[in-house]
């Protein structure tokens, strides 16, 4: 269907209602104006798909609603980063290295004596306090501290990690897994 003067006038008459609907969806006047403008552009570009005699405002409102939903889904996945500072912090390590490091860590962890491995996993990986870990293992708090310290030292030696003395017991497993050896 070609754009007639009558159809153009009907489209223009719908603009205030489209804008009110767009504001109710977006909650922002500027964003609403952009939605209305995009709706009108899409409507004019696809005017041939409009059926004469059907409800023009309903057709326009459907276009606007679909635009809003599509844009909402897209924006939900995006992070605003106008100056690029967030993008600079993103790093993605190759999966192969992470997998290899994890396998090396698992092999080294398996070489620890059972009591040391248990204490290290409870305190370092599971986040239990020394007191809670001692209750779970049925031993004194000092024994758990000693086991964790010996386990950390042995893991460090097995994985050739330097500087673990600066880590607390809760950082041990995360530090060894994430080490840049």
């Amino acid at each position: 269907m070609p754009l007639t003067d009558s159809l153009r006038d009907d489209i223009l008459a719908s603009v205030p209602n489209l804008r009110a609907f767009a504001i109710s969806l977006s909650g922002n006047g500027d964003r609403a104006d952009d939605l209305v403008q995009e709706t009108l552009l899409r409507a004019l570009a696809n005017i041939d798909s409009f059926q004469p005699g059907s409800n023009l405002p309903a057709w326009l409102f459907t276009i606007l609603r679909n635009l809003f939903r599509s844009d909402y889904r897209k924006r939900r996945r995006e992070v605003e980063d106008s100056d690029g500072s967030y993008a600079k912090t993103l790093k993605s390590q190759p999966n192969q290295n992470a997998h290899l490091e994890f396998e090396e860590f698992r092999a080294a962890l398996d070489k620890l004596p059972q009591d040391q491995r248990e204490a290290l996993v409870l305190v370092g990986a599971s986040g239990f306090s020394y007191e809670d870990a001692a209750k779970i293992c049925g031993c004194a708090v000092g024994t758990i501290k000693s086991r964790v310290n010996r386990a950390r030292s042995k893991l460090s030696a097995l994985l050739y990690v330097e500087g673990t003395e600066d880590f607390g017991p809760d950082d041990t497993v995360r530090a060894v897994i994430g080490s840049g050896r």
Side-chain angles (χ1 to χ4, degrees), residues 6 26 39 47 55 57 60 101 106 126 144 147 150 180:
S6 161
S26 68
T39 298
I47 198 69
N55 191 342
L60 294 169
E101 287 178 354
R106 274 189 28 194
S126 298
I144 288 293
R147 289 177 183 173
R150 282 183 273 141

Side-chain angles (χ1 to χ4, degrees), residues 28-40:
N28 177 312
D30 293 335
R31 180 71 195 115
D33 290 340
D34 291 343
L35 277 170
V36 171
Q37 181 177 359
E38 185 65 27
T39 298
L40 295 175

